[in-house]
Amino acid sequence: MDIIVITTIIASLFLVIGAAEPLAARLRLPYSVILAVLGVMIGLGATFFLRTSLTDALNPVAEAILELPIRSNVFLYVFLPTLLFQATLGMNLRRMLDDWVPILVLAVVAVVVATLSVGYALAWSSALPLAACLLIGAIVSTTDPSAVVSIFRSISAPRRLARIIEGESLLNDAAAIALFGLFMGFVMLGMPDPELGAALARFPMLIFGGAFTGWLAARIAVWVMALFSRHELAQISVSVALPYLVYIGAEQSIGASGVIAVVAAGLTLNLAAPGRLPPQAWANLRELWDVLAHWAGALIFILAALLIPRLLQEVRLDDFLLVGVVILAAVAARAMILFGLLPLLTRLKLSPAVERPYRVAILWGGLRGAVTLALALAVTESFRVPDGIQRVVGILATGFTLFTLIVQGTTLRWIIGRLGLDRLSPIDEALSRQVVAVALQTVREDIARTTENYDLSHDIIRSEAKRFGERLDDAVRAAEDSADILDRDRIALGLIVLAGHERDAILNRVRERTISARMAEKILPDADRLIEGAHSQGRSGYQRAARRSVAYGSAFRTAVMLNGRLGLAAPLARMTADRFELLLSQRLILRDLGGFIDGRIRRIHGRRVADLLDELLSRRIEAVETALEGLRLQYPGYAERLERRFIRRTALRLEEREYMMMREDGLIGAEVYTALMEDLSARRAAAETRPRLDIALQRTALVRQFPLFSEFDDRALKRLGRALEPRYVNAGDVVIRKDSATKSVFFIASGAVELRSAGQTWRLGRGEMFGQMAVLMRKSPRAEANAIAPTTLLVLDEERFRRLLDRSRALREAVRASAEKRGIDPSSLLPGAG
């Protein structure tokens, strides 16, 4: 076909793509439905003009459209990697990791259940071999999440629910395509009834082989992109090559799943690249992939829809019955997951509770689209698949796709309206009123400054100010006098607004480069958790998310274990340095929030809510300061180096701003500006490098700060430092359980611990010890010890503690005082304490 004709047709399709989006918005239909309808109309129109005797003028165009070189390989090797890779880059991956269990279980189990359900239903109702029926089941298991996710976002559905559906749909496609490749091999080999156990046994190799390939390739790509740190276009070009090379390499070289490889590569790049690339380069890279995926998704829908008339040209009456079987089996399988497995995961506390109306919307929103058609096309093109199976696969997959798009897609928004999901909840309505009131106050202040600058007529200003003031008064009154909002909901509203402002402050700091993009990737999920916690559980949810933001995670504890038992210090060094920088960044952001509370929130939510938020903010700042103090005690000087780095980065940002202003004012020319910016970029690259942290715990310096050991010389302190073992505990963790055997004494290096015994409570802080009574009395402890803040403990075993008592008068006095304070006779202790 002439390249000019192909180029003309493709360019015309881009015009169709451009018109489809506003048309979908106007008709209030999913974008994919409009694209599919337009594609079918173009295909039908071309077929009509080619076969009609009314005119021959359009025959060349019709022939060119119908003879476009559209093959399944175009979809699988060009469009599919683009869509999958962009979806992984666009994910809030750190937030999805919070829900990896329901996402993974729903994705894998949903695919297997749908494949088996459709496969065995077809095997029972048709003469097709089981392998072909399972192949059809795998093809129709792929879902298009865009319709449901976009509508959920437009109706303010819970963010966590939208993330789970988005992540489940992405992995759903990956798992379904992996199963498709498995059963396609059986069909081509002529194995009508494969052993299902043997088939599923190959499934892990497809998954893990592809995942390792994608991870390794992405790590290499990030390393190469970091080498090109001053060449943004080179970095973006590497990212464009990555998914296609990974897909082809996994499929053709090692026989693994190319889809899984692309997903793994995208997830790895999403996690690793923000910390290795300049913020603007990472933002531009994601914007480019957004455009590529938009085009690829639109083209794959239109081009696949063009083939629908061809796939349906041999349809028979009994094929409609089989299409109905596929529809019923697929819907039943998805209902089984949504109304059976999902509630079970909720009861096991592995998934958030999903209300029944949302589950109904997800069930009806399980649209199939271009991926399903592309897989069906791959079957119809394979000469190794019998003709009868080719025909049935093409018809059933196409018929089922048309049903989901035409019937479900066009009625999805109506279903959502009937379920009442398009109406805001009372707290969301109150939040919208609060937003309006805050926005109007800001607008009033900005307008006042604008009118002063332009010296407008005082009569006009008074007239417009009066009108605007009336609207502002109404908005403030509506925000304050919401009769249907309880006090706890008002507090939740204030917390949501505060957490939202915290998120905005983080983004502003990233744009100003006072916080690195890598740190922002870690802090932003914490802000999202604050918003969701306040929205779902009010003050308790906000506080739980706040405690989590400064807690030691499971990964940190694993790194501590690797360092202590295996001597692997690198993971702990990296995570400790990350924790240092994260806490410093959090402190920087939190200190900016006080002015927002005293200004915006106090004016809108009232003094009581503002005072409560001030108290909660003070507690968060105190928790961050406590955690930072613990790190400073362990690693003296490192926090100072990080703070110096922050000052240098701030100075560079201000210097860059001055150069830009001078360039805009014409004070310097382009040549001078370019030279200055190159020099500044080199200094910024040096300032971005984080100072190295020596993880060898400086226990001697830490132990020296304990008043209990003040009489020891340096040699004794070094021996003691080697004997003490560090332990990290989070707020709420139980250090010593009541009536449990313990043979260790604990010294508090940082943080705080609460002891409870016989209805009494004692709080211990830095420099104090506990556990000594149970050791000396050789009894199970009568007190329970709980950490009330992220705490660093130094642990000493019983034998060393007894030897230490014999040598330290200060320690014996501390033990005696502690016993008297708790009503224990010091004489009942062993002689070493006397």
Side-chain angles (χ1 to χ4, degrees), residues 630-700:
L631 288 175
R632 283 197 181 98
L633 289 170
Q634 292 170 250
Y635 309 104
Y638 188 74
E640 293 180 10
R641 294 201 296 273
L642 285 179
E643 289 171 349
R644 290 179 185 276
R645 174 174 172 249
F646 165 76
I647 293 172
R648 288 195 296 269
R649 287 162 60 180
T650 302
L652 287 170
R653 175 181 60 82
L654 297 174
E655 184 178 351
E656 180 184 33
R657 186 182 65 184
E658 289 298 316
Y659 293 157
M660 293 176 64
M661 292 175 61
M662 291 180 183
R663 177 72 177 91
E664 293 172 359
D665 294 340
L667 297 177
I668 57 176
E671 296 83 359
V672 174
Y673 176 76
T674 302
L676 291 172
M677 293 303 292
E678 287 180 355
D679 175 67
L680 187 141
S681 297
R683 286 184 286 123
R684 172 169 281 150
E688 288 292 335
T689 303
R690 188 168 62 188
R692 183 178 177 273
L693 172 64
D694 183 5
I695 198 59
L697 188 64
Q698 301 175 17
R699 297 178 195 170
T700 303

Side-chain angles (χ1 to χ4, degrees), residues 212-520:
F212 178 76
T213 302
W215 172 82
L216 180 62
R219 296 298 302 183
I220 295 173
V222 170
W223 176 74
V224 173
M225 293 164 74
L227 293 178
F228 303 156
S229 58
R230 299 183 62 183
H231 304 280
E232 183 178 318
L233 294 180
Q235 294 173 333
I236 294 176
S237 299
V238 172
S239 78
V240 171
L242 176 62
Y244 306 105
L245 294 178
V246 164
Y247 188 93
I248 295 171
E251 290 277 343
Q252 304 298 324
S253 299
I254 65 174
S257 169
V259 172
I260 298 295
V262 171
V263 171
L267 296 178
T268 304
L269 193 69
N270 192 341
L271 279 175
R276 304 293 300 276
L277 304 183
Q280 192 58 46
W282 175 244
N284 292 340
L285 184 150
R286 291 179 60 173
E287 287 179 4
L288 173 68
W289 275 103
D290 288 343
V291 175
L292 292 177
H294 176 72
W295 289 342
L299 285 173
I300 196 174
F301 255 108
I302 291 180
L303 294 177
L306 285 174
L307 303 175
I308 289 179
R310 185 194 311 173
L311 293 173
L312 295 180
Q313 60 186 355
E314 298 181 12
V315 66
R316 301 170 186 170
L317 187 61
D318 56 345
D319 293 331
F320 289 99
L321 177 62
L322 294 182
V323 171
V325 171
V326 173
I327 293 171
L328 291 176
V331 173
R334 194 156 180 82
M336 191 185 309
I337 297 297
L338 291 171
F339 294 93
L341 180 60
L342 198 56
L344 177 62
L345 293 177
T346 301
R347 282 195 291 272
L348 295 174
K349 298 184 179 180
L350 297 175
S351 171
V354 181
E355 298 176 4
R356 182 177 293 271
Y358 285 110
R359 280 182 275 161
V360 173
I362 296 169
L363 173 65
W364 196 246
L367 308 185
R368 271 59 169 184
V371 176
T372 303
L373 294 177
L375 297 180
L377 182 63
V379 176
T380 62
E381 289 178 355
S382 176
F383 64 90
R384 298 174 63 184
V385 177
D387 293 341
I389 294 179
Q390 287 185 17
R391 187 192 71 83
V392 175
V393 169
I395 290 173
L396 296 187
T398 305
F400 180 61
T401 301
L402 286 176
F403 172 81
T404 62
L405 291 173
I406 304 302
V407 178
Q408 293 179 222
T410 56
T411 58
L412 178 57
R413 196 171 285 274
W414 178 81
I415 291 290
I416 285 175
R418 295 290 296 176
L419 293 171
L421 298 179
D422 56 346
R423 295 188 293 272
L424 292 177
S425 63
I427 191 170
D428 285 331
E429 288 182 359
L431 179 59
S432 67
R433 291 193 289 269
Q434 302 282 358
V435 169
V436 170
V438 172
L440 290 180
Q441 290 218 26
T442 304
V443 170
R444 181 179 65 176
E445 295 167 0
D446 291 342
I447 287 179
R449 286 193 294 269
T450 302
T451 54
E452 290 177 3
N453 293 337
Y454 287 96
D455 194 22
L456 300 177
S457 168
H458 291 291
D459 292 337
I460 296 176
I461 293 174
R462 280 196 299 271
S463 174
E464 292 300 316
K466 182 179 179 181
R467 291 181 56 190
F468 189 85
E470 292 173 353
R471 185 185 174 198
L472 177 58
D473 291 341
D474 292 341
V476 173
R477 196 177 302 112
E480 293 177 344
D481 300 334
S482 300
D484 52 344
I485 298 299
L486 302 176
D487 284 346
R488 65 172 182 268
D489 291 332
R490 293 181 187 277
I491 295 171
L493 286 174
L495 291 172
I496 292 170
V497 173
L498 181 63
H501 181 73
E502 181 174 342
R503 193 179 196 283
D504 293 340
I506 294 170
L507 294 174
N508 288 333
R509 291 288 183 176
V510 174
R511 284 191 287 269
E512 295 173 353
R513 296 193 178 186
T514 51
I515 291 180
S516 68
R518 186 167 181 269
M519 276 301 104

Side-chain angles (χ1 to χ4, degrees), residues 30-51:
Y31 180 52
S32 55
V33 172
I34 296 297
L35 289 173
V37 170
L38 292 175
V40 172
M41 292 175 61
I42 293 172
L44 289 174
T47 304
F48 171 77
F49 284 113
L50 191 61
R51 296 181 179 180

